[in-house]
Amino acid sequence: VDTYGLALYLSGKASFLITMGGATIAIGRGVDVEALLASWGVAEALGDTVATIAGSSAANVVFVPVHFLTAVYGVQILEKWDSSSRRQHPF
């Protein structure tokens, strides 16, 4: 991770989007995902859990720019706050 950093992170997000897009297209064309999972031995409750995780992961990918903006500007705000509080209270 230290060697590839952002490239590794973004390629992971891109491959996730491609996978989710392919699954969405397959479902749109009539693939019965529940029956497919059942044929693999996945219980219905587990399938519902996996669907919830997939939905939250997709939402997470959509908000990647918000994560970066929050990290960049949030750190700047915290650094300014810390430096001003250290000037007022040096110990």
Side-chain angles (χ1 to χ4, degrees):
V1 172
D2 291 338
T3 303
Y4 299 106
L6 183 60
L8 179 65
Y9 179 78
L10 292 178
S11 65
K13 295 297 179 183
S15 66
F16 175 79
L17 285 174
I18 291 167
T19 302
M20 289 298 292
T24 302
I25 290 169
I27 291 169
R29 294 191 178 200
V31 174
D32 188 2
V33 176
E34 288 185 35
L36 183 63
L37 290 175
S39 72
W40 291 346
V42 177
E44 184 176 336
L46 181 60
D48 291 342
T49 303
V50 169
T52 302
I53 292 170
S56 64
S57 297
N60 187 32
V61 170
V62 171
F63 290 108
V64 165
V66 175
H67 293 292
F68 285 128
L69 290 173
T70 303
V72 170
Y73 294 112
V75 168
Q76 289 176 355
I77 290 168
L78 289 174
E79 286 176 344
K80 288 178 185 176
W81 174 77
D82 184 51
S83 65
S84 68
S85 67
R86 286 180 189 242
R87 276 187 252 127
Q88 292 175 358
H89 307 287
F91 296 106

